[in-house]
């Protein structure tokens, strides 16, 4: 006898290290954030390559040439991880808290109770504005528990900010 119940084998159990609850309806962020991050990477990589290229041309040392090649390989690797990292972001609104997930190698799940929120910021840098995106930043009393949700459309960022603020005020009144 294999220990199966009368209705068949037991359901597949999830690893206790798997942080994403199945019972939550995750909201994805905009894929346009991929372009924002790739442009940021491109700008940083271009500056590094110009500096290394000039140094290599002036000094002519082979290590500087190897550094140029290494920077290019690092740029390609980072481009691939940016795409996967943006797809890993998600958030979920529950009755008493907000869940924010992200990460590839190190997966992170932040649970921010509405009653612990002190204030909510919405920000958008020049690149984010060019792609019609914004970031919602949640601030709590413990700085380590702050969470952010990047890559939201401005209307969704405003809606989330207003909802979180209202829920935070309602929950704080009960304390």
């Amino acid at each position: 006898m294999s220990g199966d119940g009368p209705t068949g084998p037991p359901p597949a159990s999830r690893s206790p290290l798997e942080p994403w609850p199945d019972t939550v309806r995750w909201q994805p962020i905009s894929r346009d954030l991929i372009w924002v991050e790739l442009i940021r990477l491109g700008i940083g990589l271009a500056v590094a390559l110009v500096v290394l290229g000039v140094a290599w041309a002036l000094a002519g040392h082979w290590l500087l040439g190897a550094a140029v090649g290494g920077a290019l390989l690092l740029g390609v690797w980072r481009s691939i991880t940016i795409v996967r990292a943006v797809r890993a972001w998600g958030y979920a609104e529950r009755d008493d808290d907000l869940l924010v997930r992200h990460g590839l190698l190190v997966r992170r799940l932040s649970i921010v109770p509405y009653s612990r929120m002190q204030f909510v910021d919405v920000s958008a840098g020049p690149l984010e504005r060019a792609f019609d995106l914004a970031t919602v930043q949640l601030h709590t009393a413990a700085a380590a528990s702050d969470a952010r949700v990047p890559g939201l459309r401005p209307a969704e960022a405003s809606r989330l900010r207003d909802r979180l603020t209202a829920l935070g005020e309602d929950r704080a009144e009960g304390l």
Side-chain angles (χ1 to χ4, degrees):
M1 189 162 237
S2 66
D4 292 344
T7 59
S13 62
R14 292 175 54 99
S15 164
L17 299 177
E18 179 63 40
W20 312 155
D22 281 335
T23 58
V24 175
R25 186 172 162 257
W26 292 102
Q27 299 293 322
I29 63 172
S30 173
R31 300 294 186 240
D32 286 344
L33 186 61
I34 293 170
W35 291 110
V36 171
E37 295 299 325
L38 287 174
I39 290 169
R40 285 182 184 150
L41 172 66
I43 292 169
L45 189 59
V47 169
L49 288 174
V50 166
V51 168
L52 287 171
V54 168
W56 187 23
L58 294 176
H61 198 277
W62 69 271
L63 277 176
L64 292 167
V68 168
L72 287 171
L73 285 175
L74 184 63
V76 169
W77 174 79
R78 183 64 186 129
S79 297
I80 294 167
T81 61
I82 283 172
V83 173
R84 294 193 62 218
V86 167
R87 290 181 179 161
W89 274 97
Y91 67 99
E93 301 170 62
R94 298 196 303 184
D95 291 338
D96 296 319
D97 50 32
L98 179 77
L99 305 178
V100 181
R101 71 176 188 187
H102 62 95
L104 294 174
L105 185 59
V106 177
R107 293 178 151 194
R108 182 175 181 143
L109 174 66
S110 297
I111 302 172
V112 183
Y114 299 134
S115 62
R116 302 294 176 140
M117 285 189 287
Q118 292 184 328
F119 64 97
V120 181
D121 278 335
V122 175
S123 63
L127 274 176
E128 287 176 311
R129 286 193 309 271
F131 283 88
D132 197 33
L133 297 175
T135 297
V136 173
Q137 177 81 39
L138 299 105
H139 299 275
T140 63
S145 66
D146 290 354
R148 71 182 184 100
V149 183
L152 298 176
R153 297 290 174 203
E156 173 62 8
S158 294
R159 184 205 65 81
L160 187 59
R161 178 202 58 215
D162 294 344
R163 182 168 190 274
L164 294 175
T165 301
L167 287 169
E169 289 172 357
D170 288 348
R171 300 302 192 278
E173 287 175 5
L175 296 178

